[in-house]
Amino acid sequence: MIRVLLADDQQLVRAGFKALLDAQSDITVVAEADDGVEAVEHAQALVPDVVLMDIRMPRLDGLAATRQICSDPKLSDVKVVVLTTFEMDEYVFEALRSGAAGFLVKDTEPAELVRAVRAAHAGDGLLSPGVTRRLIAEFAARSKEPDQPATLSRLTDREREVLALVGLGLTNEEIAGRLVVSPLTAKTHVSRTMVKLGARDRAQLVVLAYESGLVRPGWLG
């Protein structure tokens, strides 16, 4: 059973999400929060599998709440999915840098929301990958000239190659096809890269790929 925490200051939004998710046989909403302070408190007390986190909330916004949850060692397995009204929300990139597993637009189709919760729980990569890649590219293009962090020296040449491919938004199966290896081998390379870089999930690998310069915005086409 996938345990979900809903954090949104709009009761109607929470009610809609709760009804949809609770109707699934493998998902249950364990708590609701109407501000960031409650979200952090519920996360610490209940350790849910997935947190659906609105960005704009009173007392403590979703960005700060995400940062607190993702920096707590006791909550290392909690996946935070940021909810936003607009695809190009200026705060989404910072949320990904803070440890969010990805983001969803609030008016997403019901089936996509359910799929996203399952994907986040399974660690299957970014949500809305095409939009997320474009978002990261836009902000990366505005940022300072990337440098190669010392942590990348921990990676083998193959792992650096895998990091770049993850940064381009490729799935494990696509990486396997590109490198002519099995999907299991590709998954192993991704997992080892995450461990060596101390990344919570693929979302942080994408950010690292851009910030290190392994992937440049123009490569998205």
Side-chain angles (χ1 to χ4, degrees):
M1 185 67 71
I2 303 172
R3 304 167 66 252
V4 177
L5 165 62
L6 297 177
D8 194 299
D9 63 339
Q10 298 182 31
Q11 184 175 357
L12 188 60
V13 171
R14 295 201 312 272
F17 285 175
K18 177 177 172 57
L20 174 64
L21 295 175
D22 278 345
Q24 311 304 312
S25 61
D26 60 337
I27 301 174
T28 183
V29 175
V30 295
E32 298 178 47
D34 59 13
D35 61 51
V37 173
E38 283 191 358
V40 174
E41 290 174 348
H42 285 322
Q44 292 172 336
L46 301 171
V47 192
D49 298 305
V50 178
V51 179
L52 294 181
M53 180 81 75
D54 186 26
I55 290 181
R56 295 172 177 82
M57 294 187 292
R59 290 212 290 171
L60 186 70
D61 64 41
L63 190 62
T66 295
R67 190 176 298 113
Q68 288 189 30
I69 291 172
C70 294
S71 63
D72 188 337
K74 297 178 183 177
L75 305 179
S76 59
D77 292 330
V78 176
K79 304 298 184 183
V80 178
V81 177
V82 171
L83 299 171
T84 178
T85 305
F86 306 103
E87 288 183 346
M88 300 305 287
D89 193 300
E90 62 183 305
Y91 297 112
V92 170
F93 182 63
E94 186 60 33
L96 293 175
R97 292 186 63 181
S98 298
F103 74 96
L104 282 176
V105 179
K106 283 188 176 181
D107 63 356
T108 188
E109 293 294 325
E112 176 64 15
L113 174 66
V114 173
R115 187 202 68 79
V117 168
R118 291 174 178 147
H121 176 247
D124 285 342
L126 287 172
L127 311 176
S128 305
V131 175
T132 302
R133 291 199 307 271
R134 291 198 300 273
L135 178 81
I136 292 175
E138 176 180 329
F139 280 86
R142 297 177 184 176
S143 65
K144 64 181 181 180
E145 183 68 20
D147 55 5
Q148 294 280 330
T151 51
L152 289 192
S153 64
R154 305 172 187 169
L155 304 181
T156 64
D157 290 342
R158 175 48 60 92
E159 288 165 350
R160 290 166 70 94
E161 188 175 9
V162 167
L163 175 60
L165 294 175
V166 170
L168 290 173
L170 273 63
T171 64
N172 288 344
E173 290 73 18
E174 291 169 336
I175 292 174
R178 185 74 65 92
L179 300 180
V180 195
V181 298
S182 71
L184 180 59
T185 298
K187 181 177 180 180
T188 299
H189 284 312
V190 172
S191 297
R192 288 177 177 171
T193 302
M194 288 175 59
V195 171
K196 287 186 178 182
L197 296 180
R200 288 172 57 93
D201 47 40
R202 295 174 78 101
Q204 287 198 317
L205 287 184
V206 172
V207 174
L208 284 170
Y210 276 95
E211 291 187 329
S212 66
L214 283 179
V215 176
R216 297 300 182 96
W219 295 4
L220 292 174

